[in-house]
Amino acid sequence: MSLLNQLFNRGVFGAKCKTSLNFAIARMKLLQNKRDMHLKHMKKEIAQFLQAGQEPIARIRVEHVIREMNLWAAYEILELFCEFVLARVPILESQKECPRELREAIASIIFAAPRCSEVPDLLQLKNLFGTKYGKEFIMVSSELRPDSGVNRTIIEKLSPASPSGEIRLKVLKEISKEYSLNWDSSATEAEFMKSHEDLLGGAKQIHRQDSVSESRPSQQGHTQSLVSREAEVLPAEATQRLQKLQAQNPVSKNMSSSPKLHVASQAPPDTRRDQSDVMERARAALASADRATAAARAAAQLVNVSYGASPAVAAEGKSTNLM
């Protein structure tokens, strides 16, 4: 009974495998023909952008062209692998393990199956090979483990990574040459040769933030020393005026005991903004002191003038009384 089951299953595997391989080959040929027309249209658009001087748009569109070209090349290789396996299906049926000469073709089909969604027949082949050789065989090829046997070109063509600047520049030059364009590629070369640090500034910004955070304590100390020096260099005359006003006005005495202490008490060591506020307050206090001193002097002058004029007025009054 078991022998009959093996014979029956062997025949079912061979028939399903041939059917899926034939469908996959036909579908990939059809997709290649469609992509040929699509690629010609896209290249023509890029040539028009280059001719019109719209190079930034052409740089973006060329990435899609490269992906389409890579997928077209991958389909061509997979088509050859499917034809190779199709011609050796009887060998697969007769052997329990995967033959060494078919390992690369089968592993490449398994790897490409989930990455080529337009060819669902590859997924059916993957399931058939998984049923015959086990899940571990499928995992080794899908995850690209050591000795997986997947074709290197298939891995590169189906990679989701963005194409390099050299490849994009090469394709743009080929398009310009194909359409006989007199295109100056110097600006595009300079743009493609920029490193990611120049384009995004990530590493430089992080380094700059680190240097700023390291130099901040020294800057704070330097600012504090400048504040203290400026407070010490205040004119002696202004200090004397403040002391006179303190004797007359107790409020001003409490507000400005001494410029140096006032600045030291008002300047927190954390932020530079508070230190500038302290300097402005000290200068405002000195200005108010100057204004108060000037007002006091003006009042004293008025008093002296009034006292000096009073005797003359009294004399005039006496002379009028005598007459």
Side-chain angles (χ1 to χ4, degrees):
M1 191 69 179
S2 60
L3 182 61
L4 292 175
N5 289 333
Q6 290 178 1
L7 292 173
F8 180 74
N9 292 330
R10 184 180 300 173
V12 171
F13 171 79
K16 289 184 177 180
C17 190
K18 288 180 180 180
T19 303
S20 299
L21 288 169
N22 286 322
F23 283 160
I25 293 169
R27 200 184 299 273
M28 283 188 286
K29 286 182 178 179
L30 181 61
L31 290 172
Q32 281 181 314
N33 294 331
K34 288 183 177 180
R35 271 186 165 74
D36 281 335
M37 299 299 296
H38 190 49
L39 281 172
K40 289 180 181 178
H41 180 68
M42 293 175 64
K43 288 180 179 180
K44 186 177 180 181
E45 287 184 347
I46 291 176
Q48 292 175 356
F49 287 134
L50 292 176
Q51 190 174 7
Q54 298 179 351
E55 293 186 12
I57 301 177
R59 294 171 198 155
I60 297 172
R61 294 289 185 89
V62 75
E63 293 187 12
H64 189 51
V65 171
I66 293 171
R67 289 193 181 93
E68 292 293 323
M69 292 170 62
N70 290 338
L71 195 57
W72 188 94
Y75 283 162
E76 187 176 11
I77 299 173
L78 290 171
E79 183 181 345
L80 294 175
F81 282 153
C82 289
E83 291 177 353
F84 183 68
V85 174
L86 180 61
R88 289 161 178 78
V89 170
I91 299 176
L92 295 177
E93 289 181 320
S94 61
Q95 296 183 12
K96 186 176 181 181
E97 299 294 332
C98 180
R100 182 172 296 179
E101 65 272 13
L102 295 174
R103 180 66 182 265
E104 182 180 5
I106 293 175
S108 300
I109 291 172
I110 293 171
F111 175 79
R115 294 166 176 82
C116 299
S117 58
E118 295 178 333
V119 189
D121 307 291
L122 295 179
L123 286 174
Q124 295 179 5
L125 289 170
K126 177 183 176 182
N127 296 330
L128 288 173
F129 292 139
T131 304
K132 185 173 180 61
Y133 301 122
K135 293 181 179 180
E136 185 65 22
F137 182 83
I138 301 297
M139 295 297 292
V140 170
S141 301
S142 299
E143 298 176 1
L144 294 178
R145 295 181 185 177
D147 299 329
S148 62
V150 181
N151 184 268
R152 180 59 56 182
T153 307
I154 289 292
I155 297 173
E156 293 176 357
K157 297 301 182 182
L158 296 180
S159 174
S162 177
S164 63
E166 296 178 356
I167 297 175
R168 286 183 285 174
L169 181 61
K170 181 182 177 181
V171 174
L172 285 175
K173 288 182 177 180
E174 290 176 355
I175 293 173
S176 63
K177 185 178 180 181
E178 181 180 354
Y179 288 88
S180 302
L181 298 178
N182 188 12
W183 173 57
D184 184 12
S185 61
S186 58
T188 303
E189 288 180 5
E191 185 69 22
F192 284 156
M193 293 308 166
K194 283 184 180 180
S195 62
H196 293 286
E197 210 172 68
D198 293 333
L199 291 173
L200 301 178
K204 289 185 177 179
Q205 287 182 358
I206 294 172
H207 180 69
R208 193 179 297 113
Q209 289 177 0
D210 293 339
S211 62
V212 169
S213 62
E214 290 176 359
S215 62
R216 185 174 295 173
S218 61
Q219 290 178 356
Q220 289 180 355
H222 181 65
T223 306
Q224 290 179 2
S225 63
L226 289 177
V227 172
S228 60
R229 287 179 185 176
E230 189 171 354
E232 290 175 356
V233 178
L234 290 174
E237 184 180 358
T239 306
Q240 292 176 1
R241 292 176 182 177
L242 286 175
Q243 291 177 357
K244 290 180 181 180
L245 289 174
Q246 288 172 3
Q248 297 176 359
N249 192 359
V251 177
S252 63
K253 182 177 181 180
N254 294 329
M255 289 178 63
S256 57
S257 59
S258 67
K260 185 175 180 180
L261 293 176
H262 179 71
V263 172
S265 62
Q266 292 291 332
D270 295 334
T271 59
R272 296 165 60 184
R273 183 179 297 176
D274 294 339
Q275 293 169 359
S276 61
D277 293 341
V278 171
M279 289 298 303
E280 292 178 359
R281 292 176 184 175
R283 290 170 183 169
L286 289 176
S288 61
D290 292 336
R291 289 195 296 271
T293 304
R297 286 179 181 176
Q301 290 176 0
L302 290 175
V303 170
N304 292 333
V305 169
S306 63
Y307 281 134
S310 59
V313 173
E316 290 178 359
K318 288 181 181 181
S319 61
T320 54
N321 292 329
L322 291 172
M323 292 176 66

